[in-house]
Amino acid sequence: MHYLAIQGKQKLSGSVSISGAKNAALPLLALTLLSSRKLTITNIPEVADVKTLLQLLTNLGATSTCNNNTVEIDSTTVNSACANYDIVRKMRASILTLGPLLARFGHCEVSLPGGCAIGQRPIDLHLKALEQMGAVIEIKQGYVVAKAPKGLKGATIIFDKVTVTGSENIIMAAALAHGSSKLVNVAKEPEVVQVCEILADAGVKIEGIGTSQLIIAGSGGKLLDIPDFKVIPDRIEAGTYLCAGAITKSKITLTNVNPKHLEAVTLKLEQMGFKIDETRDTLTIHPGEKQLPSDIETSEYPGFPTDLQAQFMALCTQAKGTSIIDERLFENRFMHVSELSRMGANIKLKGHSATVEGKAKLNAADVMATDLRASSALILAALVADGTTKIHRIYHLDRGYENLEGKFSKLGAQIKRLEE
Ligand code: UD1
């Protein structure tokens, strides 16, 4: 197994190019199931989760190639509607094939993803919405077995909670349904918006794109003439590199980024004492004179993203004073706390709230990555720790960060991938 060895206390400088968004690429690859033509998708991040979904689609009968961040994919040849456990268990987001498969074939079997490190993560809202669209759903031997022999019907769906992949699943299902659907309390994340925009480019009539209420006119089961497209930049990867600049007190520039998608994040950094310059597609962070503590509450977009909570916690360990971090989306997303504490961080947990006392002197240690974003918090802590930190189980990082060591090395970090 591989691990990362990071020698701390190095200044970073220069620029880093941000990859396409993993969380956009995944629903967009699932969306190819609704396409009547072969598609070319650019700015695809070459990360493990994308490879897993491509493997799942190939397993269903699609053909694809992936080179230089471009995927050519023909999902018109898909001839199976069964997403099996062996692939789904590797990645929860495989559930994104549920809506498109059911809408296209009138039946499907998709393995239940099960729990994960950051909590239970049910899919009840996906299932309830599909039932409202006329699907009959049973759970059999760990599989969601769904049937809608006459196709899905348009319906009014009010999501009880804002769910990102739930919204994407149902938007894709509604695009192929018979009749019109009204979706209320839809997620407004940029990744959800991109799914809607591409459907609109394919001729689907959608009102309310970018708002929490959508009206979608279904195609009545007809596959869609989806144009080739480019994946939006990864706002979570971008936020992670901004934190790297902040924690190491370095000036770094991010290119190929959409600053509008990061407003809640850059605002927090400014409140913490960092100066940020932006152009249409770059962000530059400057070292802060004083690093101030922060109060952070995660929430749905456009609020502060839960996927950057762990990274900001690492940053708060280096601010002078008390920071409070409230995790509002996932019940168990504090797995990084014990590892950060092993490096010398002073963090107290109470329910969904963490109190971080800074500034803590961090020391290198052997630490364990527990989930994708928790692992990046450990990298940030390692960048300012005394000595060489070893981060184990980095397969979590490979799920979502493209060319991580390459990008950090180019910025001047002393980072190596080694074999245990
Ligand atoms: C997506 C992102 C993930 C991010 C999360 C929140 C992808 C591939 N993943 O995950 O990186 O951390 O959004 O921004 O885009 N819930 C239910 N029932 C459901 C669905 C969700 O109770 O049927 C709850 C969840 O347990 C959680 C909350 O709703 O508490 C939000 O989860 P959700 O937005 O669905 O997260 P994902 O789409 O899985």
Side-chain angles (χ1 to χ4, degrees):
M1 263 213 277
H2 289 117
Y3 68 94
L4 286 178
I6 301 174
Q7 193 193 322
K9 303 249 182 248
Q10 310 288 322
K11 266 254 191 281
L12 306 184
S13 64
S15 71
V16 56
S17 172
I18 297 305
S19 298
K22 166 183 89 74
N23 283 357
L26 297 174
L28 295 173
L29 286 171
L31 182 66
T32 66
L33 287 164
L34 305 185
S35 174
S36 61
R37 56 184 287 271
K38 184 176 172 180
L39 288 171
T40 302
I41 311 175
T42 48
N43 207 29
I44 283 273
E46 290 181 19
V47 295
D49 273 9
V50 164
K51 289 178 192 150
T52 303
L53 193 50
L54 283 172
Q55 192 193 348
L56 174 55
L57 293 170
T58 307
N59 199 261
L60 297 174
T63 49
S64 70
T65 56
C66 181
N67 289 309
N68 295 328
N69 300 101
T70 299
V71 163
E72 304 229 351
I73 180 160
D74 187 356
S75 294
T76 61
T77 50
V78 166
N79 53 12
S80 159
C82 179
N84 69 42
Y85 176 71
D86 282 344
I87 303 179
V88 175
R89 75 186 164 86
K90 289 192 197 157
M91 183 186 64
R92 292 187 48 79
S94 308
I95 198 67
L96 283 164
T97 56
L98 178 66
L101 283 175
L102 182 59
R104 173 164 161 187
F105 292 104
H107 65 91
C108 69
E109 293 181 22
V110 177
S111 175
L112 274 172
C116 74
I118 65 170
Q120 239 190 351
R121 299 185 79 176
I123 53 155
D124 56 314
L125 302 175
H126 305 226
L127 302 186
K128 192 171 142 198
L130 290 171
E131 281 174 341
Q132 284 174 280
M133 296 176 82
V136 176
I137 296 181
E138 286 177 286
I139 305 295
K140 274 192 198 160
Q141 293 173 338
Y143 278 75
V144 177
V145 180
K147 289 190 183 117
K150 292 187 188 144
L152 292 169
K153 298 190 304 267
T156 295
I157 288 152
I158 303 175
F159 289 99
D160 292 338
K161 266 190 193 176
V162 177
T163 158
V164 175
T165 50
S167 298
E168 291 160 347
N169 236 334
I170 304 310
I171 289 166
M172 293 189 279
L176 228 68
H178 296 263
S180 169
S181 296
K182 180 171 164 185
L183 311 184
V184 181
N185 204 22
V186 174
K188 293 181 287 193
E189 268 66 4
E191 296 77 16
V192 181
V193 172
Q194 189 174 25
V195 170
C196 293
E197 283 171 345
I198 290 166
L199 285 170
D201 288 344
V204 178
K205 267 177 71 186
I206 308 187
E207 283 172 42
I209 295 180
T211 73
S212 59
Q213 185 165 313
L214 299 174
I215 296 178
I216 303 175
S219 72
K222 193 167 165 284
L223 290 180
L224 307 169
D225 187 17
I226 298 179
D228 294 340
F229 57 84
K230 178 177 175 187
V231 177
I232 57 170
D234 195 316
R235 63 197 168 96
I236 306 303
E237 188 198 23
T240 305
Y241 284 101
L242 286 174
C243 285
I247 202 164
T248 58
K249 298 193 170 64
S250 307
K251 177 186 167 191
I252 63 174
T253 296
L254 279 48
T255 58
N256 299 323
V257 67
N258 185 339
K260 281 204 194 78
H261 294 165
L262 281 146
E263 272 172 2
V265 176
T266 47
L267 190 66
K268 271 291 166 229
L269 287 168
E270 281 167 351
Q271 287 165 355
M272 291 178 83
F274 301 97
K275 184 173 166 286
I276 294 185
D277 295 328
E278 67 173 67
T279 68
R280 195 179 52 82
D281 60 359
T282 69
L283 281 169
T284 299
I285 183 157
H286 300 268
E289 274 178 24
K290 261 203 282 185
Q291 197 170 319
L292 304 170
S294 187
D295 285 346
I296 293 170
E297 195 179 307
T298 64
S299 77
E300 296 87 10
Y301 189 86
F304 187 90
T306 172
D307 285 352
L308 285 171
Q309 178 256 106
Q311 298 87 322
F312 268 72
M313 189 178 293
L315 184 55
C316 287
T317 67
Q318 299 306 295
K320 193 159 179 247
T322 308
S323 300
I324 311 277
I325 300 181
D326 241 314
E327 173 53 59
R328 291 279 163 178
L329 264 67
F330 294 111
E331 76 265 26
N332 193 23
R333 206 169 203 180
F334 281 135
M335 309 277 280
H336 43 286
V337 169
S338 51
E339 299 304 285
L340 288 173
S341 302
R342 294 184 60 246
M343 296 177 73
N346 183 356
I347 306 170
K348 288 204 175 58
L349 276 184
K350 195 168 180 200
H352 49 70
S353 179
T355 305
V356 186
E357 294 294 345
K359 175 182 179 176
K361 184 179 173 317
L362 298 182
N363 290 306
D366 276 66
V367 287
M368 210 64 105
T370 47
D371 76 51
L372 170 56
R373 306 304 173 185
S375 333
S376 46
L378 301 179
I379 294 186
L380 297 173
L383 289 174
V384 289
D386 246 339
T388 301
T389 298
K390 292 182 185 165
I391 305 179
H392 303 271
R393 295 200 189 154
I394 51 166
Y395 51 83
H396 289 292
L397 282 164
D398 294 334
R399 285 187 40 218
Y401 287 94
E402 185 175 45
N403 187 22
L404 185 100
E405 309 93 271
K407 290 189 185 188
F408 270 110
S409 299
K410 183 172 170 261
L411 289 171
Q414 294 294 317
I415 180 168
K416 279 196 193 116
R417 179 181 291 246
L418 300 167
E419 190 105 33
E420 309 255 14

